Amino acid sequence: MSSNPQNFVLRSTLTSPFGRKVRMAIDVLGLNDRITLVPADTLDENDTLRQQNPLGKMPCLVLADGSTIYDSGVIIEFLADLAGTDRLLPASGPARFKALTLARLADGITEAAILVVYEGRFRDPGAHSERWLAHQRGKITRALAAFEKSPPDPGKTDIIAIGLACALGYLDWRKPVEWRQDHPRLAAWLTAFAKNEPAFERTRAPAV
């Protein structure tokens, strides 16, 4: 890194699971002193987030020149490159693409869980689509089953573990599905990972 490192702004909230993914990566990579968290409101039409990311989604990383990087996976790859390490993601080869695939699988759990939560938040009770909810919960349970069959190494913090831990943390918080009883190996993995990686607790959303 240069002798005069640039600082960046992360548009997110402390409750966003994808924002938590990036905050965990920042913590693990030792970049906390270079990133300033600026809250975003995805529902506010006047929030500059919509100019920074036309999709109006967070997290979004604002660089020193005003340009932006999104989504969470791309931001983490950028941060790892900035830190000059392949700790979170292999630099090349089949291992890199396997890691990216599993990271996307973990992200899929979070995405589906958010859609279940939004169905309850943005639709009137009588307008809920049970078929839609079942479709999203099916994604969650199939992905959980895949990770239950072969959990990551709880002693290794990488892009897979960060995404999976944040996904499971979100399931515990918002409870779109009850997952622990049917996935004991995954529950044990999360306990062990949280014990081994302090950034998991450091990035937990404050209790309301």
Side-chain angles (χ1 to χ4, degrees):
M1 292 184 288
S2 68
S3 58
N4 185 25
Q6 295 179 328
N7 294 323
F8 310 99
V9 170
L10 179 65
R11 300 302 313 281
S12 185
T13 64
L14 295 178
T15 56
S16 163
F18 287 117
R20 186 184 188 185
K21 262 184 63 183
V22 173
R23 291 189 297 112
M24 277 190 66
I26 290 169
D27 190 309
V28 170
L29 294 171
L31 297 174
N32 283 312
D33 61 344
R34 298 186 58 184
I35 313 287
T36 300
L37 179 67
V38 176
D41 184 348
T42 58
L43 298 181
D44 183 356
E45 295 182 2
N46 297 313
D47 194 310
T48 54
L49 177 68
R50 296 191 179 191
Q51 285 74 56
Q52 294 160 342
N53 177 355
L55 297 174
K57 298 173 71 174
M58 55 186 178
C60 176
L61 189 70
V62 185
L63 308 187
D65 64 0
S67 62
T68 55
I69 295 176
Y70 45 85
D71 59 7
S72 63
V74 179
I75 294 172
I76 290 175
E77 289 197 55
F78 171 81
L79 294 174
D81 185 70
L82 181 71
T85 178
D86 59 0
R87 177 182 178 186
L88 299 185
L89 183 65
S92 62
R96 175 182 178 84
F97 296 102
K98 181 178 180 180
L100 286 171
T101 298
L102 290 174
R104 295 298 186 269
L105 183 62
D107 285 351
I109 295 172
T110 305
E111 289 166 355
I114 288 173
L115 289 175
V116 171
V117 171
Y118 282 3
E119 182 77 4
R121 183 179 298 173
F122 293 108
R123 291 186 188 273
D124 294 331
H128 291 176
S129 170
E130 292 303 322
R131 184 181 180 188
W132 174 255
L133 290 171
H135 181 60
Q136 300 307 325
R137 289 181 175 127
K139 297 177 186 178
I140 296 170
T141 55
R142 290 192 302 272
L144 289 174
F147 280 117
E148 174 73 8
K149 184 177 179 180
S150 182
D153 178 355
K156 181 179 182 181
T157 299
D158 61 6
I159 195 171
I160 304 166
I162 288 174
L164 182 58
C166 290
L168 298 178
Y170 189 73
L171 295 184
D172 277 339
W173 181 40
R174 292 300 192 188
K175 301 188 185 306
V177 299
E178 295 293 339
W179 68 276
R180 286 180 170 270
Q181 182 174 349
D182 292 335
H183 304 90
R185 295 182 68 197
L186 208 45
W189 174 85
L190 183 61
T191 298
F193 176 76
K195 181 178 180 180
N196 292 328
E197 180 48 74
F200 182 75
E201 288 300 327
R202 286 198 290 258
T203 56
R204 189 184 293 276
V208 178

